[in-house]
């Protein structure tokens, strides 16, 4: 299972009419950037903290590509996925909490 990261056609989340679903997203950024970046000006202020990713060699990052905790995707032969790296140790607790918050709301 994967949690998707999507550029929404380069428009980001702010251009979509998502309503409350917007807050199921968080900024994803390369772990070597400190401090974490904020959202682009046209993006909403997310309530979830940014998630750091240790990128695999040869991968770069688009600033307008948030992670969507409210959606999961199984990896199957007909689904396009890319192994970009791993959640950085410093963001693992947040990642787990945000995922649980979306899938097991209280």
């Amino acid at each position: 299972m994967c949690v998707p990261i999507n550029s929404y056609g380069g428009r980001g989340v702010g251009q979509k009419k998502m309503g409350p679903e917007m807050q199921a997203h968080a900024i994803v950024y390369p772990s070597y950037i400190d401090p974490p970046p904020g959202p682009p000006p046209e993006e909403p202020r997310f309530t979830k903290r940014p998630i750091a990713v240790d990128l695999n060699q040869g991968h770069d990052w688009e600033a307008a590509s948030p992670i969507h905790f409210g959606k999961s995707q199984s990896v199957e032969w007909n689904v396009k996925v890319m192994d970009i790296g791993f959640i950085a140790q410093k963001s693992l607790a947040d990642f787990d909490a945000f995922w649980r918050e979306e899938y097991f709301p209280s």
Side-chain angles (χ1 to χ4, degrees):
M1 295 296 289
C2 294
V3 179
I5 298 170
N6 193 327
S7 68
Y8 297 106
R11 296 182 314 262
V13 175
Q15 300 299 316
K16 295 184 65 75
K17 304 291 185 225
M18 300 181 113
E21 187 184 351
M22 278 192 209
Q23 293 307 323
H25 292 78
I27 292 172
V28 177
Y29 70 99
S31 59
Y32 57 80
I33 295 177
D34 194 32
E42 64 279 359
E43 289 288 282
R45 295 288 169 192
F46 297 120
T47 56
K48 292 175 173 47
R49 286 180 293 283
I51 300 294
V53 174
D54 292 332
L55 297 174
N56 288 340
Q57 188 173 2
H59 284 282
D60 201 0
W61 204 252
E62 285 186 48
S65 296
I67 190 168
H68 189 334
F69 289 100
K71 188 182 229 182
S72 66
Q73 181 69 53
S74 60
V75 178
E76 299 174 20
W77 67 272
N78 62 340
V79 176
K80 289 184 180 182
V81 296
M82 182 182 299
D83 181 8
I84 60 164
F86 298 91
I87 302 298
Q89 185 67 38
K90 64 185 174 183
S91 290
L92 276 176
D94 283 341
F95 179 89
D96 186 57
F98 298 157
W99 182 85
R100 289 177 187 279
E101 177 183 311
E102 293 300 325
Y103 277 92
F104 306 108
S106 42

